């Protein structure tokens, strides 16, 4: 898959349009756009780590904690 992404970027570099590239690799033209956008910024086709530290609690656990604390106060 990564090799295909590099090929998409190379095809774009050889002045092919998004439509022609999408037909050649049989992917949607918006996918081609996203691949090229990522290539322009990071110069790689690899999956990169997310941005920032993951939150400790999600909304569901927040509600569960508040229910538990409300039970213990009564």
């Amino acid at each position: 898959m990564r090799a295909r992404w590099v090929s998409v970027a190379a095809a774009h570099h050889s002045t092919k349009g998004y439509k022609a590239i999408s037909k050649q690799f049989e992917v949607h033209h918006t996918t081609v756009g996203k691949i090229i956008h990522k290539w322009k910024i990071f110069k790689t086709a690899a999956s990169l780590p997310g941005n920032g530290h993951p939150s400790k609690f999600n909304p569901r656990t927040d509600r569960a904690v508040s229910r538990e604390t409300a039970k213990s106060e009564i």
Side-chain angles (χ1 to χ4, degrees):
M1 176 144 162
R2 293 192 206 299
R4 178 184 258 186
W5 283 18
V6 173
S7 301
V8 168
H12 177 70
H13 189 69
S14 68
T15 66
K16 282 191 177 179
Y18 285 13
K19 234 175 164 180
I21 296 170
S22 68
K23 284 182 182 178
Q24 179 183 350
F25 292 101
E26 297 175 353
V27 293
H28 201 265
H29 66 90
T30 56
T31 306
V32 171
K34 288 178 183 182
I35 292 169
I36 292 168
H37 179 71
K38 184 177 179 180
W39 185 264
K40 282 181 181 178
I41 294 172
F42 300 111
K43 300 291 186 225
T44 183
S47 295
L48 299 173
N51 195 8
H53 188 279
S55 72
K56 199 164 192 177
F57 296 113
N58 58 21
R60 183 177 177 181
T61 55
D62 284 338
R63 290 192 303 271
V65 168
S66 63
R67 275 196 310 271
E68 287 296 319
T69 55
K71 282 182 191 176
S72 64
E73 290 176 359
I74 296 175

